């Protein structure tokens, strides 16, 4: 055989002819440097032709590759093999391990799996959008939440360690162990008495006395002491006196709440009935308990004509004092100041023993 010319892809050349390649011509060209007896060999079974150098086709036509189903893939595949798979209608190549398809992807399908995500828009066969929604679980590398705030590391729910957190204005916070809280600026509000507080924002508002400052007591204070100690010990004490710039009237109310010492500075103009009461709105019987005693002093001024208290009542009810020395006064002391002292002891409801004395000062 002196020459072989490829007419078209249907030309069949016996394998035994391939040993004579000097005159092989494809499309009018003899590739002498590419296709030579040293570059082309035929296997002993005359079914495989080996080309050791590059094989170049200059035609604008096409090469027909082997076509077969998936089940027809060569059983003894070698790396680099290439064919058309009629089952998958795609080109495929052998990568040394398995046959893999090449070319354009015509369909994409996804599933949410067990990550907590769901997939919509799948499969895509032409164009479109695949959307993932849901919450990626922590076990799958997610946060387990759909939204977040702040910066830094994700904090999970069990024994978290917060670094310089800004909590805003929480509606409820339970602290069991906190350090570094500025009490002057970090804590506001009123601690209820049930929680060990005062129920007020100030000590005065809670009626708590500060003994190193001036205090005004508006309620009964009881100092019991013990069987071995005094109830009260003071270095000095001052008792306010109620100075009245008038003289006693026909009936003069001695309100204990106005002061236990009351001094009338104007000259007496008549005798008077002295009525004892706690205040204008509270009776002495209400203010005192059985067994209580109250001491009070009434100081009056006499000119040359002297007058005195000629009758006594408690809460408007007549009482008869027991006078020091056993004799009640029948007049006052002229041009002098008379001081009347009374000790009132409550022995039963609205029942009293009154001890009285008078002293002249001139």
């Amino acid at each position: 055989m002196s020459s072989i010319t490829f007419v078209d892809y249907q030309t069949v050349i016996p394998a035994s002819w391939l040993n004579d390649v000097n005159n092989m011509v494809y499309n009018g060209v003899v590739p002498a440097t590419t296709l030579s007896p040293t570059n082309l060999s035929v296997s002993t079974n005359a079914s495989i032709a080996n080309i050791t150098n590059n094989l170049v086709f200059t035609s604008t036509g096409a090469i027909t590759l082997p076509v077969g189903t998936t089940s027809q893939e060569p059983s003894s595949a070698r790396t680099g093999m290439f064919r058309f798979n009629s089952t998958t209608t795609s080109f495929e190549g052998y990568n040394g391990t398995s046959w893999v398809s090449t070319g354009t992807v015509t369909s994409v399908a996804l599933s949410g799996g067990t990550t907590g995500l769901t997939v919509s828009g799948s499969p895509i066969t032409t164009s479109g959008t695949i959307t993932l929604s849901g919450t990626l679980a922590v076990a799958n590398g997610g946060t387990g939440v759909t939204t977040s705030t702040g910066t830094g590391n994700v904090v999970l729910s069990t024994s978290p360690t917060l670094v310089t957190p800004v909590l805003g204005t929480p509606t409820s916070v339970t602290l069991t162990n906190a350090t570094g809280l500025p009490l002057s600026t970090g804590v506001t509000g009123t601690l209820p008495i049930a929680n060990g507080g005062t129920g007020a924002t100030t000590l005065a508002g809670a009626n708590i006395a500060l003994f190193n400052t001036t205090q005004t007591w508006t309620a009964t204070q009881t100092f019991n002491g013990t069987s071995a100690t005094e109830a009260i010990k003071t270095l000095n004490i001052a008792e306010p006196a109620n100075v009245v710039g008038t003289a006693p009237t026909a009936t003069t109310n001695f309100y204990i709440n106005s002061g236990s010492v009351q001094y009338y500075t104007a000259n007496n103009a008549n005798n008077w009935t002295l009525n004892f009461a706690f205040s204008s709105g509270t009776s002495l019987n209400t203010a005192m308990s059985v067994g209580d005693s109250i001491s009070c002093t009434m100081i009056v001024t006499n000119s040359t004509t002297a007058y005195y208290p000629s009758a006594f009542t408690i809460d408007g009810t007549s009482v008869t004092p027991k006078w020091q020395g056993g004799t009640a006064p029948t007049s006052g002391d002229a041009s002098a100041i008379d001081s009347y002292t009374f000790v009132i002891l409550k022995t039963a409801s609205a029942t009293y023993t009154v001890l009285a004395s008078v002293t002249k000062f001139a």
Side-chain angles (χ1 to χ4, degrees):
M1 180 183 65
S2 60
S3 99
I4 300 174
T5 300
F6 289 103
V7 178
D8 55 31
Y9 71 91
Q10 292 179 334
T11 302
V12 178
I13 303 174
S16 61
W17 293 5
L18 294 177
N19 288 323
D20 188 1
V21 297
N22 289 327
N23 295 317
M24 293 181 63
V25 178
Y26 176 74
N27 202 23
V29 178
V30 179
T33 60
T34 303
L35 191 60
S36 65
T38 59
N39 295 331
L40 178 65
S41 64
V42 180
S43 66
T44 56
N45 60 9
S47 62
I48 299 177
N50 296 309
I51 299 176
T52 57
N53 287 336
N54 296 330
L55 181 62
V56 179
F57 296 91
T58 60
S59 169
T60 58
I63 298 175
T64 301
L65 296 175
V67 178
T69 64
T70 299
S71 62
Q72 292 174 331
E73 290 172 345
S75 58
S76 299
R78 292 189 296 174
T79 302
M81 283 186 171
F82 196 67
R83 66 192 293 269
F84 184 82
N85 190 317
S86 60
T87 301
T88 61
T89 64
S90 63
F91 296 96
E92 65 180 1
Y94 191 75
N95 62 9
T97 303
S98 61
W99 290 93
V100 294
S101 297
T102 62
T104 303
V105 176
T106 60
S107 177
V108 175
L110 298 177
S111 62
T114 59
T115 65
L117 298 177
T118 59
V119 177
S120 59
S122 173
I124 293 179
T125 57
T126 53
S127 63
T129 301
I130 295 178
T131 302
L132 297 178
S133 61
T135 302
L136 183 60
V138 175
N140 297 99
T143 63
V145 297
T146 56
T147 60
S148 62
T149 184
T151 60
N153 298 327
V154 175
V155 177
L156 302 181
S157 61
T158 303
S159 301
T161 298
L162 303 179
V163 180
T164 62
V166 178
L167 301 180
T169 307
T171 58
S172 177
V173 174
T174 301
L175 295 178
T176 57
N177 185 10
T179 59
L181 180 64
L183 295 179
S184 60
T185 59
V187 177
T188 59
T190 302
L191 185 63
I193 295 176
N195 297 102
T198 62
T201 56
T202 64
L203 293 178
N207 292 321
I208 297 177
L210 299 176
F211 289 95
N212 60 341
T213 61
T214 301
Q215 298 294 316
T216 299
W217 305 85
T218 58
T220 301
Q221 310 298 319
T222 301
F223 302 91
N224 290 326
T226 69
S227 60
T229 59
E230 308 94 338
I232 297 177
K233 178 182 289 186
T234 62
L235 180 63
N236 51 62
I237 189 170
E239 183 178 4
N242 180 23
V243 179
V244 183
T246 61
T249 59
T251 298
T252 297
N253 291 311
F254 192 113
Y255 292 138
I256 305 296
N257 188 54
S258 297
S260 59
V261 176
Q262 299 188 19
Y263 177 25
Y264 290 79
T265 58
N267 291 328
N268 292 327
N270 51 258
N271 294 335
W272 68 93
T273 297
L274 183 58
N275 176 62
F276 295 99
F278 186 75
S279 67
S280 61
T282 304
S283 67
L284 195 61
N285 187 53
T286 299
M288 294 182 68
S289 298
V290 174
D292 286 350
S293 67
I294 289 179
S295 297
C296 54
T297 299
M298 184 178 187
I299 303 172
V300 297
T301 305
N302 285 313
S303 62
T304 56
T305 302
Y307 298 95
Y308 72 105
S310 57
F312 302 91
T313 60
I314 295 179
D315 297 330
T317 301
S318 178
V319 294
T320 301
K322 297 181 182 297
W323 289 91
Q324 184 179 13
T327 303
T330 56
S331 65
D333 294 295
S335 302
I337 293 177
D338 289 335
S339 176
Y340 295 90
T341 300
F342 303 91
V343 176
I344 303 173
L345 299 95
K346 182 175 180 179
T347 58
S349 177
T351 304
Y352 308 91
T353 297
V354 181
L355 305 180
S357 65
V358 59
T359 304
K360 174 185 176 182
F361 294 90

